[in-house]
Each structure stands twice: as C-alpha cells, then as structure tokens.
Amino acid sequence: MRKILVLAAVAAGIAGSAQAADITGAGATFPFPIYSKWAEAYKKETGTGLNYQSIGSGGGIRQIKAKTVAFGATDAPLKGGDLTKDGLVQFPTVMGGVVPAVNIAGIAPGKLKLSGEIIAQIYLGDIKKWNDPKIVALNAGVTLPDANINPVYRSDGSGTTFVFTDYLSKVSAEWKSKIGANQSVQWPVGIGGKGNEGVSASVKQVANSIGYVEYAYAKQNKLSHALVKNADGNFPAPEEKAFQAAAANANWQEQPGFGISLNNQKGADAWPITSATFILVHAKPENPAEVQEALKFFDWAYKSGDKLASELDYVALPANVKDQVRAAWKGVTDNSGKPIF
Amino acid sequence: MTAATDMTSMPGATPIVRRTPKATFDAVFRNASFGAAMLVLVLLAGIMVSMVVGGWPAFREFGLGFITSSVWDTQNEQYGAWPAIVGTLSTALIALVIGVPLSLGIAVYLTQLAPAWFKKPVATAIELLAAVPSIIYGMWGLFVFVPLFAQYVQIPLSNIVEGMPVVGTILYSRSPSGLGIFTAGIILAFMIVPFIASITRDMLEQIPSVLRESAYGIGATTWEVVRHVLVPQAGVSIIGAVMLGLGRALGETMAVTFVVGNANRLSASILDPGSTIASRIANEFNEALGLQLNALIALGCILFFVTFVVLVIARLLVARVKRY
C-alpha cells in the first residue's frame, strides 16, 4: 500500500499538476529533518502533504524567486531590500545552535573553553598550537598538547557557515575586516569538509582538529564539543535552554522579515552561536491557495510542532515571536489584496 | 522474425533456400543503428554547447584571468580557476608517478614471471578492483589512510624538513592533517592501477612469444627481455593505457573530495590541502547562484576540454599501434 502511495506521489510530482494537493517547498538542508517530521504528522491530521526538497538555501532562494515552489527556505535571512525587491515575506520557523567540535586526545566533551576571539584567531591562522598561552589562560587545570591546530570548515556553501562567520565577525574586528560573514568565505587556513557530515568526519579522523557543526548534528553523532564564552562572560553548555535564552533577549523586529542574528546575545545562559532558519513566500503569490496551505501548515507547526522539534534537538520559537509572525502573514494577500491567512 | 517464418513455413522444400533480403528491414535496421551512433555525437555536442553557454558569462567577465587568477571569492563575485587547475593536474601527476611503475610491475610480473597457478587469481583481483565504486576508495582514504598518513608520514616529515630550503616548502605542512593534494594523488594512484595494469597485461600477452624466446635464446636476462623487447613492442599501447588512467584521475570526484582537503587556496606544499576542478564543482554546485554557477560550469568546461584532449591523444596512440 505504501509503495502504491509513493508511486502515486511520484507520478503526481512528475505530472506536476493541478490535482496535486501537496504543498511544495525547497531550500535549506538544516531544517529538513524537522520539516519532514512535521509534514508526516500534519499529513496524518489533515491529509495535506508537503513536498520539501532540501536543495540548500541558495537553491531555495532561487526556486522561490522563480516561483516554482510555494515557499523557499533559507538559513541566512534575506536583507530588507532584497525582500521588497522580489516581493517576498520572510519569517522564522525554528532555531538551532552551532557548536565547535574538537578532537584532542585526553580532552573530554565540554572540558575545553574557548572565546569567540580565540576561535577567530584559530581560523585566521594566528593561533597555531593548542597550548597557545591564550587558550591555556582560559583553561586552568586542563593539559593541552603541544600540537598544531587543524581547523575544519564547510567547503560547500552553507547557512551554518553563515551563522559561524557572522558570530566571528561580531566578536572579532579583524575577522570582520579580513573575512566577513557569508555562506562561504575565503578561509585562510584549514581543511574543508562537505556538509555537516563531511566536517564531522574530518574532525573525527584528524587529530587536534576543530570544526563547527549544527548542534543537533553534534548531539546525534556524539561529537566532543567545546564551550564558548558568551556576551555575559559565562560558559553555558550547548543545550535547548541556552538557545532559548539567546532568543529570549533578542529584538526580532529590529530587521525586516525577522532577519536578525541571534549571535552573541545578552543573557547569562545564552549560547553565543545561535540562529533561526527562515521561510520565504511571495507577498502576492500566483497561486494563493497553495501558499495559504503552506501558511496553515506553519501555523499548525507553531501550535503543535514544538515537541517534535525538541525531540530532534531543534529549538522552538518563543510564543511572542510566533504571534508576531502570524501578524506578519497579514502581508500575504491574494490578487484582490485580501490577506489569505 | 519474418525470416524465421520463411524458413519454417516450407516443410517440404529443400533445406537450401536462397532467401531474398528484406529491403525494408535492412533499411530500418541501418537507420536505427545509425541513429544510436548519432545519439552519442548529439549528446556530446549538447554537453559541449550547454557547458560553453553556461560558462560563457564567467569567461566573458574574467577573460583569460579566469584561468590565471587564484582568487575564488563568492562574497565579491571574483572567480579564478588556477588553484583548481593546478590541483587537478598535480593530483593526476602524482597518481601517474606512483601508479604507472606499480601497474607496469604488476603487468610484467603477471605475464613473464608469475607461476601459472598464481596468474589467474591476481588478474581477477585486479579487474575486481577496477569495479570498486570510487566513493569506497574515498571513504577508505579518509577513515583508514588519512590518520595513518598524518601520524607516520606527515608529522615526522614536517618536523624533519622544517626550515630546509626547497623541500622545506614543498614537503612542509603547516597543519599536518593527513588530507591534501598528495593524499588525493595516492588514492587516485590506487584507483588507476587496475586500469593501466590490466590493459598493459593484455598488451604484453599479445606480443608473439617467438620474440621473447629469441631474446632468451641469445642469452638475454629477464630484465633485458622486458626492457629491450617487451616494453618497446608494447610501448605505444602502454602510453595509451596510461592516458586512459590519466583521464580517470583528472575527472575523479567523490574520492578526491573526501581526501583533498577542499581548500580554495594555492599552496607551495604538496602536503597542504587544495582542491581539484571536480571537487570544487561537487562542493559548491548545490548552493551556487548567478555568476558562481557560471564560474563552476566554466570550470567544468575546462575539465571537459583537458580530458577530451587526453582521450584523443590516447585514441591516436592506440590507433597507431593497430596499424602494425
């Protein structure tokens, strides 16, 4: 039976036609697991399916601009100007953190403390050894080896890289002027791995390495993480409440389309490298009915999807942000100018 | 089908029947096979055209600078292919330097020296190696070879050569991770050995044994026979085999992406991470937009051109052998 359903779905997809009741979306790979989980539960409840292609944030932006999908998904938010230019409405769905993963013999997970400034200098090639005085100063009582540091980065364009480099730009003026924040940057040192799995494989295989991966990925793959000093000078453990703390103190209205960065937010427990992932829809969609279904889906996800998100180590948005997003949906209208949600 | 019916429907006739050729069937068959052959050419032309068209904006924007520039900067939309071209050629060259002597050794041993009971299993094993998917070589490289290479070769070597002139640059790695151009070259060598070895073995076996026996007859040693009789005889076809291996090494993607280190930088050391054209495309294609996409297709265009030239040379060499 399931096979027949799948075949039917594939056939419907190939026909790409009017009778397809599925919502189509494409984009970021980072939220793909939770979007599929939500879609599964949503289909059981409502009968409406979601066809989400995780082709990457860049692809998601391309597809929504080309109007081939009802919504696009991106990890790096579009700027206000780009949103108005293409007539897009942007809103966040879930959050996640980025954690530094390390592989140093004799250092247990969570035992190594780093600051943003130190991480920036490691990735700039200025700090070359693990027993550099700056790292030793933060880690009293930890024996660090006299070994070269092998920095590992994402070699593919990635929202994770955007979040990580955006954080480094915030805490290091040198990083900001030399490298900057982007989905892919010109790394002066280090080795590249393709995807979260490529980075984590390299970190696991290469001794004395450091990399950065999504928190969910680090947790599920039991990577040894390092702690990072936050804006308040604390070293919180990377876990759900630390990501929520980062979101709690943020002013989401500061940027159009909620496109703020949650990096280096104030808060005693706030994890310093946190970010939301975003959805893009057209403000005046060509196919209002399908976009309406998409918004209904995300409304359902806000209401009933938090538990599923938490099971997969994503972090739900604060309730007040969800309400702000729902208010922003009033900007999505059909041809007559009537809000569709 | 109809021909068969003609034969069986005449039970009383003599078995020798001069069948009239069916003109329509022949024509259809000729056209169908012609179409199949043309399809290949059309596909090839289609690939060429779409690559040139797709890459054209990058070629137009940067001109010759696209090939000579070392900057690959997606933030400022500056693209230069030089590090990837150098990476592609140097990994392939390392693969040949390691792989060719190994392959020739295997081929000579199997055809001249090995006891008969040993030939068959080794030859089969080599052919099986050729069928191993490239991702397996890549994963083996990353999970098994890289840590060992870093610990037992790269770190000690870096310590020895540090500060020396020339070798201190070429063989020194700032961060000895085990990943890099040289590692990629070694993995590629493993991948091309089965190809070169099995083709060379076939070629050596085709040499008439009277030649070899004459050489032994006048008192030549095994080495002399191999060096002065066999290799000159099969020389050109060995070069053809090497070219086929080179073609594979130039275009290999997955295995290289695993172990090359994926750094878009040019480094003077062969132990440092780098990238090849194929690995760059594999890494960035998913997220590429606008000019970056054009630049990646232009990279593909360059690789296509290089591989095409290599294969044409191989064909010409093999064709020359066949004329004798």
mmCIF file of all heavy atoms in Angstrom, chain B residues 249-269:
data_model
loop_
_atom_site.group_PDB
_atom_site.id
_atom_site.type_symbol
_atom_site.label_atom_id
_atom_site.label_comp_id
_atom_site.label_asym_id
_atom_site.label_seq_id
_atom_site.Cartn_x
_atom_site.Cartn_y
_atom_site.Cartn_z
ATOM 1 N N ALA B 249 41.880 9.884 -13.607
ATOM 2 C CA ALA B 249 42.412 10.656 -12.485
ATOM 3 C C ALA B 249 41.984 12.117 -12.569
ATOM 4 O O ALA B 249 41.694 12.749 -11.546
ATOM 5 C CB ALA B 249 43.934 10.548 -12.453
ATOM 6 N N LEU B 250 41.940 12.655 -13.771
ATOM 7 C CA LEU B 250 41.580 14.070 -13.920
ATOM 8 C C LEU B 250 40.144 14.332 -13.503
ATOM 9 O O LEU B 250 39.832 15.358 -12.916
ATOM 10 C CB LEU B 250 41.752 14.496 -15.384
ATOM 11 C CG LEU B 250 43.175 14.649 -15.889
ATOM 12 C CD1 LEU B 250 43.165 14.852 -17.393
ATOM 13 C CD2 LEU B 250 43.868 15.797 -15.202
ATOM 14 N N GLY B 251 39.252 13.386 -13.812
ATOM 15 C CA GLY B 251 37.842 13.653 -13.603
ATOM 16 C C GLY B 251 37.289 13.101 -12.310
ATOM 17 O O GLY B 251 36.143 13.355 -11.973
ATOM 18 N N GLU B 252 38.078 12.322 -11.571
ATOM 19 C CA GLU B 252 37.564 11.674 -10.369
ATOM 20 C C GLU B 252 37.066 12.717 -9.364
ATOM 21 O O GLU B 252 37.751 13.691 -9.079
ATOM 22 C CB GLU B 252 38.640 10.786 -9.744
ATOM 23 C CG GLU B 252 38.225 10.124 -8.457
ATOM 24 C CD GLU B 252 36.862 9.454 -8.548
ATOM 25 O OE1 GLU B 252 36.602 8.776 -9.553
ATOM 26 O OE2 GLU B 252 36.066 9.625 -7.629
ATOM 27 N N THR B 253 35.866 12.475 -8.832
ATOM 28 C CA THR B 253 35.239 13.495 -7.999
ATOM 29 C C THR B 253 35.113 13.076 -6.542
ATOM 30 O O THR B 253 35.700 13.677 -5.649
ATOM 31 C CB THR B 253 33.841 13.825 -8.548
ATOM 32 O OG1 THR B 253 33.957 14.077 -9.934
ATOM 33 C CG2 THR B 253 33.271 15.036 -7.860
ATOM 34 N N MET B 254 34.341 12.011 -6.303
ATOM 35 C CA MET B 254 33.982 11.700 -4.911
ATOM 36 C C MET B 254 35.190 11.357 -4.056
ATOM 37 O O MET B 254 35.380 11.898 -2.973
ATOM 38 C CB MET B 254 32.978 10.538 -4.874
ATOM 39 C CG MET B 254 31.546 10.954 -5.105
ATOM 40 S SD MET B 254 31.123 12.553 -4.414
ATOM 41 C CE MET B 254 31.237 12.203 -2.664
ATOM 42 N N ALA B 255 36.027 10.452 -4.552
ATOM 43 C CA ALA B 255 37.164 10.015 -3.756
ATOM 44 C C ALA B 255 38.070 11.203 -3.438
ATOM 45 O O ALA B 255 38.556 11.355 -2.315
ATOM 46 C CB ALA B 255 37.937 8.930 -4.495
ATOM 47 N N VAL B 256 38.253 12.069 -4.427
ATOM 48 C CA VAL B 256 39.128 13.222 -4.230
ATOM 49 C C VAL B 256 38.521 14.198 -3.225
ATOM 50 O O VAL B 256 39.202 14.711 -2.339
ATOM 51 C CB VAL B 256 39.405 13.919 -5.582
ATOM 52 C CG1 VAL B 256 40.112 15.230 -5.380
ATOM 53 C CG2 VAL B 256 40.226 13.012 -6.478
ATOM 54 N N THR B 257 37.206 14.416 -3.350
ATOM 55 C CA THR B 257 36.549 15.345 -2.430
ATOM 56 C C THR B 257 36.727 14.901 -0.981
ATOM 57 O O THR B 257 36.867 15.720 -0.080
ATOM 58 C CB THR B 257 35.046 15.456 -2.768
ATOM 59 O OG1 THR B 257 34.934 15.770 -4.150
ATOM 60 C CG2 THR B 257 34.371 16.537 -1.954
ATOM 61 N N PHE B 258 36.760 13.599 -0.779
ATOM 62 C CA PHE B 258 36.948 13.089 0.580
ATOM 63 C C PHE B 258 38.313 13.449 1.149
ATOM 64 O O PHE B 258 38.427 13.759 2.329
ATOM 65 C CB PHE B 258 36.807 11.557 0.595
ATOM 66 C CG PHE B 258 35.427 11.076 0.899
ATOM 67 C CD1 PHE B 258 34.503 10.885 -0.103
ATOM 68 C CD2 PHE B 258 35.046 10.827 2.206
ATOM 69 C CE1 PHE B 258 33.226 10.444 0.178
ATOM 70 C CE2 PHE B 258 33.774 10.394 2.496
ATOM 71 C CZ PHE B 258 32.854 10.195 1.481
ATOM 72 N N VAL B 259 39.346 13.381 0.341
ATOM 73 C CA VAL B 259 40.697 13.438 0.922
ATOM 74 C C VAL B 259 41.536 14.635 0.507
ATOM 75 O O VAL B 259 42.634 14.811 1.027
ATOM 76 C CB VAL B 259 41.492 12.149 0.596
ATOM 77 C CG1 VAL B 259 40.842 10.947 1.245
ATOM 78 C CG2 VAL B 259 41.626 11.936 -0.893
ATOM 79 N N VAL B 260 41.040 15.483 -0.402
ATOM 80 C CA VAL B 260 41.924 16.534 -0.912
ATOM 81 C C VAL B 260 41.989 17.736 0.030
ATOM 82 O O VAL B 260 42.877 18.569 -0.059
ATOM 83 C CB VAL B 260 41.513 16.960 -2.348
ATOM 84 C CG1 VAL B 260 40.302 17.879 -2.328
ATOM 85 C CG2 VAL B 260 42.662 17.626 -3.077
ATOM 86 N N GLY B 261 41.046 17.834 0.968
ATOM 87 C CA GLY B 261 41.091 18.933 1.933
ATOM 88 C C GLY B 261 40.241 20.124 1.543
ATOM 89 O O GLY B 261 39.972 20.989 2.372
ATOM 90 N N ASN B 262 39.794 20.172 0.298
ATOM 91 C CA ASN B 262 38.840 21.183 -0.168
ATOM 92 C C ASN B 262 39.186 22.611 0.235
ATOM 93 O O ASN B 262 38.351 23.342 0.748
ATOM 94 C CB ASN B 262 37.432 20.853 0.337
ATOM 95 C CG ASN B 262 36.960 19.517 -0.157
ATOM 96 O OD1 ASN B 262 37.072 19.222 -1.337
ATOM 97 N ND2 ASN B 262 36.466 18.683 0.735
ATOM 98 N N ALA B 263 40.418 23.016 0.015
ATOM 99 C CA ALA B 263 40.799 24.393 0.296
ATOM 100 C C ALA B 263 40.949 25.132 -1.026
ATOM 101 O O ALA B 263 41.627 24.654 -1.924
ATOM 102 C CB ALA B 263 42.107 24.430 1.071
ATOM 103 N N ASN B 264 40.300 26.283 -1.123
ATOM 104 C CA ASN B 264 40.385 27.045 -2.374
ATOM 105 C C ASN B 264 41.611 27.945 -2.375
ATOM 106 O O ASN B 264 41.524 29.125 -2.650
ATOM 107 C CB ASN B 264 39.132 27.901 -2.553
ATOM 108 C CG ASN B 264 37.894 27.045 -2.678
ATOM 109 O OD1 ASN B 264 37.988 25.832 -2.786
ATOM 110 N ND2 ASN B 264 36.747 27.677 -2.683
ATOM 111 N N ARG B 265 42.740 27.387 -1.981
ATOM 112 C CA ARG B 265 43.957 28.187 -1.922
ATOM 113 C C ARG B 265 45.045 27.463 -2.681
ATOM 114 O O ARG B 265 45.048 26.239 -2.780
ATOM 115 C CB ARG B 265 44.429 28.350 -0.470
ATOM 116 C CG ARG B 265 43.434 28.916 0.482
ATOM 117 C CD ARG B 265 44.029 29.002 1.881
ATOM 118 N NE ARG B 265 44.334 27.705 2.456
ATOM 119 C CZ ARG B 265 43.498 27.018 3.239
ATOM 120 N NH1 ARG B 265 42.324 27.512 3.520
ATOM 121 N NH2 ARG B 265 43.833 25.858 3.732
ATOM 122 N N LEU B 266 46.000 28.259 -3.168
ATOM 123 C CA LEU B 266 47.148 27.669 -3.813
ATOM 124 C C LEU B 266 48.242 27.571 -2.762
ATOM 125 O O LEU B 266 48.519 28.530 -2.062
ATOM 126 C CB LEU B 266 47.597 28.584 -4.953
ATOM 127 C CG LEU B 266 48.413 27.948 -6.063
ATOM 128 C CD1 LEU B 266 47.660 26.768 -6.661
ATOM 129 C CD2 LEU B 266 48.693 28.985 -7.131
ATOM 130 N N SER B 267 48.824 26.385 -2.618
ATOM 131 C CA SER B 267 49.880 26.246 -1.625
ATOM 132 C C SER B 267 51.125 25.701 -2.298
ATOM 133 O O SER B 267 51.040 24.920 -3.248
ATOM 134 C CB SER B 267 49.415 25.309 -0.512
ATOM 135 O OG SER B 267 50.500 25.036 0.342
ATOM 136 N N ALA B 268 52.273 26.118 -1.800
ATOM 137 C CA ALA B 268 53.521 25.653 -2.400
ATOM 138 C C ALA B 268 53.819 24.217 -1.985
ATOM 139 O O ALA B 268 54.607 23.534 -2.626
ATOM 140 C CB ALA B 268 54.666 26.566 -1.996
ATOM 141 N N SER B 269 53.197 23.750 -0.906
ATOM 142 C CA SER B 269 53.483 22.409 -0.410
ATOM 143 C C SER B 269 52.492 21.397 -0.969
ATOM 144 O O SER B 269 51.281 21.652 -0.988
ATOM 145 C CB SER B 269 53.413 22.399 1.118
ATOM 146 O OG SER B 269 53.373 21.071 1.576
#
